[in-house]
Amino acid sequence: MRPSGRNLSDMRPISIETGVLRHAEGSCLISCGDTRVLCSATIEDKAPPFLKGSGQGWVTAEYGMLPRATNSRNRREAAAGRQSGRTQEIQRLIGRALRAGVDRRALGERQIVIDCDVIQADGGTRCASITGGWVALRLAVNRLLKAGIITSDPIMDHVAAVSCGIYAGQAVLDLDYAEDSEAGTDGNFIMTGAGRLIEVQMSAEGATFTRSEMNQLLDLAEAGVAELVRAQNEAISCAS
């Protein structure tokens, strides 16, 4: 039995509320169970210097966690004077994942910055950031299209992410913190709406895993991402 009482293949309840930030070109608050992440998209009218003259745009991300997002207070990284290695790794992952679903030439020489701020953490914050970040990105691009600033939609497909792992000897979908902290194997699966893989992060913690178990986790991830894509579509539809 999972600590939450969920079945092995059950996701946590998902909600995506759009338009939560007045000034952002796109924004949402995504909740995956008790994990909540505020995602916003900012359009900048020029691309990074390394893309100058290339005709291509860029999508990048920044990630942070509020001091009381967890059960004890984390010191603000700004107060420490530097970002942790974990924060840098996660925000690079978010940017890399979202760029995989974008035709950067159709975007033109501009940059969209996705900010993901974790206001409450209960496992899967990077996955929620990617899933919610895509919604913020979609809304920002819709604004560019509506204004006629770009004429071709640069978003090629949905991008969403979900965690899976081996908990108490069973393959389970969408780990919360209680499961993640005890899982023998855990992984993050980032996929497109068409089911194509963008990135897989998997590791064993004190116990190895088999090829068969990896396939079970991938099957669970495909089903989970399909559910997340439906939630993304519903959020975008409500925002229109």
Side-chain angles (χ1 to χ4, degrees):
M1 178 65 70
R2 303 177 71 173
S4 63
R6 287 182 285 152
N7 292 325
L8 302 179
S9 59
D10 283 351
M11 296 278 286
R12 290 173 289 178
I14 305 160
S15 70
I16 305 176
E17 179 186 357
T18 59
V20 294
L21 292 177
R22 177 180 179 183
H23 301 293
E25 282 79 21
S27 68
C28 74
L29 175 64
I30 181 168
S31 300
C32 299
D34 286 332
T35 288
R36 296 182 177 88
V37 184
L38 182 63
C39 303
S40 65
T42 300
I43 300 170
E44 298 179 347
D45 288 332
K46 60 180 180 180
F50 68 88
L51 286 175
K52 186 175 181 180
S54 69
Q56 297 184 69
W58 193 246
V59 176
T60 190
E62 293 188 12
Y63 170 95
M65 188 175 291
L66 295 186
R68 282 317 306 264
T70 59
N71 59 6
S72 61
R73 185 182 187 276
N74 295 311
R75 189 183 183 195
R76 294 182 189 273
E77 293 185 337
R82 63 182 180 87
Q83 289 182 316
S84 69
R86 178 181 182 274
T87 294
Q88 293 181 55
E89 185 265 325
I90 290 175
Q91 62 190 25
R92 287 170 183 158
L93 171 68
I94 297 167
R96 197 163 61 237
L98 295 177
R99 285 194 297 274
V102 173
D103 178 348
R104 295 193 292 117
R105 191 163 294 279
L107 184 60
E109 285 195 34
R110 58 183 49 84
Q111 176 170 259
I112 300 181
V113 181
I114 307 299
D115 285 292
C116 301
D117 292 288
V118 180
I119 61 177
Q120 186 166 281
D122 187 39
T125 61
R126 70 185 66 195
C127 292
S129 296
I130 290 167
T131 303
W134 184 89
V135 172
L137 175 64
R138 174 74 270 179
L139 293 171
V141 167
N142 285 353
R143 183 172 291 202
L144 289 172
L145 289 164
K146 186 175 181 179
I149 296 171
I150 58 175
T151 56
S152 178
D153 188 357
I155 295 185
M156 300 181 293
D157 201 351
H158 289 256
V159 174
V162 71
S163 63
C164 300
I166 306 296
Y167 174 79
Q170 299 271 12
V172 299
L173 174 63
D174 191 22
L175 303 172
D176 56 27
Y177 179 76
E179 294 168 331
D180 186 45
S181 60
E182 297 292 333
T185 299
D186 67 87
N188 299 303
F189 296 80
I190 307 163
M191 305 173 74
T192 68
R196 297 182 65 84
L197 290 167
I198 295 173
E199 189 158 337
V200 176
Q201 300 178 322
M202 284 191 68
S203 61
E205 292 286 346
T208 58
F209 57 94
T210 66
R211 173 67 176 270
S212 175
E213 288 172 327
M214 185 176 72
N215 289 341
Q216 290 178 55
L217 296 180
L218 182 56
D219 288 342
L220 287 172
E222 286 182 336
V225 166
E227 189 170 336
L228 291 168
V229 167
R230 286 193 291 272
Q232 288 175 329
N233 278 327
E234 289 174 8
I236 295 298
S237 176
C238 291
S240 301

